[in-house]
Amino acid sequence: MSTEYGADQIQILEGLEAVRKRPGMYIGSTSSKGLHHLVYEIVDNAVDEALAGVCDRIEVTINKDNSITVVDNGRGIPVGINHKKGIPAVEVVFTILHAGGKFGGGGYKVSGGLHGVGASVVNALSEWLEVMIYQDGTIHKQRFERGKAVYPLKVIGDTDKRGTTVTFLPDKEIFEETVYDYEILKQRLREMAFLTKNLRIVLTDDREETKVEKEFHYAGGIKEYVEYLNKHKDPLYPEIIYCEGTKDDVYVEVAMQHNGTYTEGCYSFVNNITTPEGGTHLAGFKNAITKTFNDYARNNKYLKDNETNLSGEDIREGLTAIVSIKIPDPQFEGQTKQKLGNSEARGAVDGIVSEQLTYFLEQNPTVAKMILEKSILAQRARDAARKARDLTRRKTALEGMSLPGKLADCSDKDPKNCEIYIVEGDSAGGSAKTARSRATQAILPLRGKILNVEKSRLDKILVNNEIKAMITAFGTGISDDFDISRLRYHKIIIMTDADVDGSHISTLLLTFFYRFMPELIRQGHVYMAQPPLYKVEKSKTVKYAYSDPELDQILTELGRDGNNKIQRYKGLGEMDAEQLWDTTMDPEKRILLRVTIDEEESSEIDMTFTTLMGDKVEPRREFIEKNAKYVRNLDI
């Protein structure tokens, strides 16, 4: 059937219709992430008032009906008539895209809500939204439904307060789920409070019988943020190094402290927006500390004349740092505001950090000595790791890219068609080798638990047999040598038993991937297999259940009587090859969970890995006690 395509088929979406038609373009997705993004858009507007110095308190409430209320004590959105549109400014803000006080009109010097779409997008994607403005002794109110005004802005009373209150209910027609997660909001609001010194943010959840309330207020700002991120680590020295200043109209704040781990955690922000891909401000910071520490090391004879400089990676080993800048006109690369492009930001951060860090090191020679001794050890370990990698490269060149002996490889050589199962133990490995499709499925059995990379430097990691086998099988190299174009399998599937040991092995593997091959996760190549928990037999009928609710459903279907034979699988080794194929490996029937990274939560992900896999026992116990209620089907 041919479809007519002419001038009249070109649609013009008026007003906020475009947002409702293509919500993903404006908030990223209509999943949980997009749902929570609505809250951040409204809170960002209130934080902009705080950045302008006219607001010091923001209250965010999840109401019983799952609507959200955001209250601030700022100046209040202007209620006067906008002469270009002939309607009140507040209605312009909530109904017209790319309208706001952030485009150089003098309302804000710096701002996080840069696109001017925040309030109108939230309005467009809500069943209803109400705004109340407390200003000049008067309360104004307006209500909208699915982006359209229900009535004009009206005065509803007198007040001695000032500020704005916005309440909205996300639209069930738009979002896949409309239930807010208190923990997700808590993490983001805590971060906002850290980044805005002295701002008080209160988060309340009214949905439970007992109201939950959390207040975030950090007089120390990002210094307290570094303290928070290092709380489950052993700081190398008690001070938090802090640099602050303004250069070329760029306000720079940097806080940093080394700890005893081997991983770097540097997080960068522009006008309180996280920049997961860094940019010019982070480049300026890295350049400043590399140059400053090397100059100090040379001047104070930590490095001899014939010794090479410390690399940036050596100096940043175990460093937790926050780089936060405020800039009037930020230029972000890409649609997602993930990387800063302003050249003046690099020079501003570099200059301020170089000068103030030099002064700090001269005033604190003991701290300087601790950092340089750790950096020099890191340099030696890096050299040892490089030699180990070079040796591996020479070996593979001589042996014609020999793969690990225990790997049962697949015959197809196109990585797009190939997948590798990482399986614990030889018994499960044996079943998997028999069950697999030999053309496209490779099996790599691991003997025992792999090395905990959270507690080891790269030189130790590279000599661990199980890790070496994975690196060689994947073909990508590791760390600085990583090259995803050499990946031999487009699906890397972790297949472990559904018990405590299996969960531990999965966590060890994910820690390794996250720390040394994060692109595998970012580009969607890492999966978790989901073997069944139960086998149910009745007469000649055999069914598998992957959860307790599914078991109940199967028993209801088959009839609950004494003829049901239920087997609880403790491990993969209990299944024969045919069962393993049918339930866990057959691409037509299996369930795979893809592992993903939320870049905006990278500091929290780092903390979780440190808590679970680091040296300290107490934080791990606290984490397990707090999260035990979420665990399902884990044999203890």
Side-chain angles (χ1 to χ4, degrees), residues 340-526:
L340 184 71
N342 299 59
S343 57
E344 69 270 28
R346 181 180 181 129
V349 177
D350 194 337
I352 287 163
V353 173
S354 295
E355 182 186 333
Q356 295 183 22
L357 182 59
T358 300
Y359 183 71
F360 176 88
L361 297 178
E362 286 167 0
Q363 296 288 309
N364 297 272
T366 313
V367 173
K369 184 181 182 208
M370 287 175 178
I371 296 169
L372 285 167
E373 283 176 348
K374 181 175 173 66
S375 302
I376 288 162
L377 280 175
Q379 185 187 49
R380 287 177 191 155
R382 195 167 49 85
D383 287 343
R386 193 186 65 247
K387 283 171 187 162
R389 283 202 297 261
D390 288 347
L391 190 64
T392 308
R393 283 196 205 103
R394 280 200 298 278
K395 268 187 179 174
T396 52
L398 290 169
E399 295 164 16
M401 289 301 285
S402 66
L403 292 164
K406 54 182 146 182
L407 172 73
D409 205 8
C410 50
S411 55
D412 195 319
K413 295 303 172 216
D414 184 348
K416 288 191 190 71
N417 303 331
C418 299
E419 50 192 43
I420 183 168
Y421 279 84
I422 301 171
V423 187
E424 64 171 300
D426 287 333
S427 61
S431 292
K433 283 176 184 176
T434 308
R436 71 187 174 123
S437 162
R438 288 170 183 269
T440 57
Q441 293 178 325
I443 309 294
L444 181 65
L446 298 179
R447 292 191 177 91
K449 291 175 181 175
I450 72 161
L451 182 72
N452 181 357
V453 300
E454 198 70 15
K455 298 181 182 179
S456 314
R457 275 199 177 100
L458 187 57
D459 56 329
K460 296 282 190 293
I461 290 163
L462 284 171
V463 294
N464 178 269
N465 285 331
E466 305 305 304
I467 287 178
K468 273 201 297 192
M470 279 192 291
I471 296 168
T472 316
F474 297 168
T476 56
I478 183 177
S479 202
D480 295 344
D481 289 340
F482 183 83
D483 178 359
I484 201 145
S485 69
R486 301 203 308 255
L487 182 63
R488 299 180 66 247
Y489 312 94
H490 273 213
K491 282 193 176 77
I492 295 165
I493 302 166
I494 298 169
M495 187 162 71
T496 58
D497 293 342
D499 60 8
V500 172
D501 278 346
S503 296
H504 190 205
I505 290 166
S506 296
T507 309
L508 287 164
L509 287 166
L510 289 174
T511 307
F512 169 60
F513 294 152
Y514 179 69
R515 292 298 188 203
F516 293 97
M517 298 176 158
E519 279 305 305
L520 289 181
I521 303 176
R522 284 195 187 102
Q523 298 198 25
H525 294 299
V526 180

Side-chain angles (χ1 to χ4, degrees), residues 28 143 147 233 330 351 439 542 625:
R143 180 182 170 96
K233 300 169 184 173
V542 177
E625 285 170 358

Side-chain angles (χ1 to χ4, degrees), residues 275-281 331-334 336-341:
T275 43
E277 293 173 26
T280 49
H281 54 327
Q331 304 299 317
F332 291 98
E333 294 176 10
T336 51
K337 294 185 183 179
Q338 299 223 319
K339 189 174 185 181
L340 184 71

